[in-house]
């Protein structure tokens, strides 16, 4: 089912659309991350995911994300689905809301929140506030991501994530880079630190590849959910 959906995302991004409502962007990619400490490298995460955005008139759009993840050492696997709805007051600015569901090791996490994205010249950024609910346990998260287009091929940026729940604060801070190998195909990299669950702060590294389709070179918003926050774990 998931493979068929990802193939459909690719096809939808390539097909021409007509009328007021149309597919405006899609992307599919693979990402691998692991903790960089020699004693913790067995803690890793492989992600295969895709997203599709559907425009409704000039100012409204709906975006759906689906990701499947596999975790080293624990032998866990998880699935994340998110639905976004957004309003565009300008061509480069979008404000919206989202709701999603994480399935991880037979546990469910429901999440929802508000998000904002904008692009000014070579600078793009997005922010999101998320509320998580898992079997009566609640947490709140804040995500900030930004990037700067150095040239037509190279993007440099960073992200900061904070999740607070049950008296604990969890942090993820990283620098990111993207290099366009060929039009529509981008290699990505990430280097950062993760501090959470009472463990000492750990560095992590991530690499990936992403294909984008459509007029917007992909979709408006990045991934959401608790599994998107976890690096390698």
């Amino acid at each position: 089912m998931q493979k068929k959906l990802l193939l459909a995302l690719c096809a939808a991004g390539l097909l021409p659309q007509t009328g007021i409502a149309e597919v405006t962007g899609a992307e599919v990619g693979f990402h691998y991350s692991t903790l960089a400490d020699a004693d913790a490298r067995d803690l890793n995460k492989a992600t295969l995911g895709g997203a599709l955005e559907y425009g409704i008139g000039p100012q409204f759009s709906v975006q759906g994300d689906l990701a499947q993840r596999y975790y080293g050492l624990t032998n866990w696997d998880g699935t994340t689905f998110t639905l976004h709805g957004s309003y565009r007051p300008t061509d480069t600015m979008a404000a919206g809301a989202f709701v999603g569901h994480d399935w991880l090791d037979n546990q469910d996490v429901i999440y929802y929140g508000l998000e904002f994205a904008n692009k000014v010249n070579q600078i793009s950024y997005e922010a999101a506030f998320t509320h998580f609910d898992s079997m009566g346990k609640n947490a709140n998260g804040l995500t900030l991501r930004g990037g700067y287009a150095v040239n037509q091929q190279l993007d440099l940026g960073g992200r900061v994530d904070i999740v607070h729940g049950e008296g604990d604060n969890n942090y993820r801070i990283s620098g990111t880079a993207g290099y366009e190998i060929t039009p529509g195909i981008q290699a990505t990299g990430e280097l950062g630190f993760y501090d959470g669950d009472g463990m000492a702060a750990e560095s992590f590294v991530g690499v990936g590849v992403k294909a984008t389709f459509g007029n917007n070179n992909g979709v408006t918003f990045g991934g959401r959910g608790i599994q998107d926050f976890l690096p390698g774990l």
Side-chain angles (χ1 to χ4, degrees), residues 140-188:
N140 293 315
L142 179 65
T143 297
L144 300 172
R145 301 175 186 171
Y148 176 78
V150 178
N151 52 46
Q152 291 184 343
Q153 289 182 297
L154 179 64
D155 293 315
L156 298 176
R159 64 179 283 181
V160 176
D161 298 85
I162 303 171
V163 174
H164 175 77
E166 302 295 328
D168 294 325
N169 288 317
N170 301 269
Y171 302 93
R172 169 186 172 140
I173 302 173
S174 64
T176 60
Y179 183 80
E180 190 173 59
I181 304 169
T182 188
I185 305 293
Q186 185 183 56
T188 62

Side-chain angles (χ1 to χ4, degrees), residues 89-219:
T90 70
D91 290 340
T92 61
M93 184 184 299
F98 61 91
V99 61
H101 197 151
D102 260 322
W103 295 267
L104 177 62
D105 189 38
N106 298 318
Q107 297 185 25
D108 293 340
V109 180
I110 303 295
Y111 56 91
Y112 53 87
L114 302 173
E115 55 194 350
F116 177 82
N118 193 20
K119 183 176 182 180
V120 181
N121 298 321
Q122 286 85 13
I123 298 174
S124 59
Y125 59 91
E126 67 173 292
F129 172 81
T130 308
H131 178 76
F132 302 96
D133 185 352
S134 176
M135 300 177 64
K137 295 182 179 180
N138 299 288
N140 293 315
L142 179 65
T143 297
L144 300 172
R145 301 175 186 171
Y148 176 78
V150 178
N151 52 46
Q152 291 184 343
Q153 289 182 297
L154 179 64
D155 293 315
L156 298 176
R159 64 179 283 181
V160 176
D161 298 85
I162 303 171
V163 174
H164 175 77
E166 302 295 328
D168 294 325
N169 288 317
N170 301 269
Y171 302 93
R172 169 186 172 140
I173 302 173
S174 64
T176 60
Y179 183 80
E180 190 173 59
I181 304 169
T182 188
I185 305 293
Q186 185 183 56
T188 62
E190 184 177 14
L191 179 64
F193 292 92
Y194 172 79
D195 184 2
D197 295 330
M199 61 185 289
E202 295 279 358
S203 58
F204 69 91
V205 60
V207 293
V209 62
K210 179 173 67 173
T212 59
F213 311 92
N215 298 331
N216 294 333
N217 295 319
V219 295

Side-chain angles (χ1 to χ4, degrees), residues 41-55:
R41 289 177 185 168
D42 288 335
L43 295 171
N44 54 70
K45 179 176 69 175
T47 302
L48 177 64
L52 176 70
E53 188 167 10
Y54 196 81

